Amino acid sequence: MTTPANKLKPDWELGLLKSMRNPKAIVATDAWVTVIKDAYPKAEKHYLILPKAYIRDLKALNSTHLPILRHMEKVAKYIIDIEDKSRTFMLGYHAEPSIKQLHMHIISNDLNSEFLKTKRHWNSFTTDFFLKPEDVAYSIETKGYVSILTQEQCEQYLKAPLVCHKCTYYPKDMPDLKRHILIHK
Ligand code: AMP
Ligand code: ZN
């Protein structure tokens, strides 16, 4: 029997939901959330915190989700606490995620990884495309929804000129940037 093409769920779209059930991917879990290793880490350390209850994305959030958002912030602090203290971590949500199930990134600020290949990857963690967890929670607390960036604003951030996130170096391209960030190690 054939399945209509529009009913097929691409593996990629469901990948996070699958990884949440994969013991090899899980770093920590409690009643509300699962923390997994990012399968294509964009830095030396890269984790994702996901609610156990299905929440598609930022647009699906409303004021009933404030407790889970606050809990995700606490879990992020816990993960950073049990990590190597010499590392600094960045926390955030991509304004326009590529994959289903709400997830907060916990990513070490070296951004040194073979999987970080493109300008879009770089800018997704180093510009205001990377929404701060406290801003998302505050928006839910005060307005009951997250003010999502427009498609145009997202594109502006993702296509912005490359700049080192630790100094004022403007690399000429990604290979130049990837060489440059090693001086900050
Ligand atoms: P974004 O949707 O842009 O916030 O990022 C999605 C993140 O999920 C990326 O950092 C991917 O590397 C990661 N990712 C994609 N598929 C999987 C998977 N099956 N398991 C774990 N992480 C994944
Ligand atoms: Zn620099």
Side-chain angles (χ1 to χ4, degrees):
M1 195 167 68
T2 54
T3 313
N6 62 3
K7 292 260 170 72
L8 287 175
K9 300 251 188 255
D11 263 6
W12 172 265
E13 248 190 72
L14 299 174
L16 294 185
L17 294 167
K18 277 192 188 161
S19 291
M20 284 173 73
R21 296 192 299 271
N22 174 1
K24 285 192 184 144
I26 297 172
V27 172
T29 184
D30 68 10
W32 285 15
V33 298
T34 304
V35 184
I36 61 171
K37 288 183 201 152
D38 194 292
Y40 311 95
K42 306 299 185 298
E44 290 173 8
K45 296 282 177 148
H46 189 179
Y47 306 110
L48 304 171
I49 306 183
L50 304 109
K52 281 188 170 165
Y54 182 67
I55 304 173
R56 190 182 201 285
D57 56 22
L58 293 169
K59 288 184 204 145
L61 290 173
N62 60 51
S63 48
T64 67
H65 296 115
L66 187 59
I68 183 77
L69 294 174
R70 293 290 189 210
H71 184 68
M72 287 166 77
E73 287 181 67
K74 280 193 196 138
V75 171
K77 288 197 181 94
Y78 164 79
I79 296 293
I80 293 169
D81 253 18
I82 61 169
E83 267 291 335
D84 172 1
K85 294 286 175 293
S86 65
R87 292 184 189 278
T88 302
F89 284 85
M90 307 188 293
L91 303 176
Y93 300 91
H94 280 158
E96 203 173 65
S98 62
I99 188 163
K100 276 187 209 170
Q101 183 61 344
L102 184 73
H103 50 278
M104 184 201 292
H105 294 262
I106 308 177
I107 183 164
S108 56
N109 83 341
D110 51 85
L111 295 181
N112 178 34
S113 163
E114 58 175 313
F115 294 109
L116 197 158
K117 293 178 179 152
T118 65
K119 177 189 259 196
R120 291 178 85 85
H121 286 158
W122 181 265
N123 284 343
S124 75
F125 291 105
T126 59
T127 67
D128 287 343
F129 181 86
F130 198 44
L131 305 177
K132 292 186 181 64
E134 60 270 28
D135 290 348
V136 168
Y138 182 73
S139 187
I140 291 297
E141 187 170 23
T142 54
K143 296 189 295 196
Y145 63 90
V146 183
S147 315
I148 307 284
L149 300 177
T150 63
Q151 180 81 31
E152 203 177 27
Q153 288 169 319
C154 287
E155 283 304 303
Q156 267 171 13
Y157 284 127
L158 295 173
K159 288 181 177 163
L162 288 172
V163 59
C164 173
H165 62 320
K166 292 190 177 172
C167 73
T168 51
Y169 184 69
Y170 285 88
K172 69 176 190 307
D173 51 25
M174 280 305 291
D176 187 18
L177 176 57
K178 291 180 77 78
R179 276 191 303 275
H180 167 80
I181 57 173
L182 300 178
I183 71 165
H184 295 297
K185 275 179 83 74

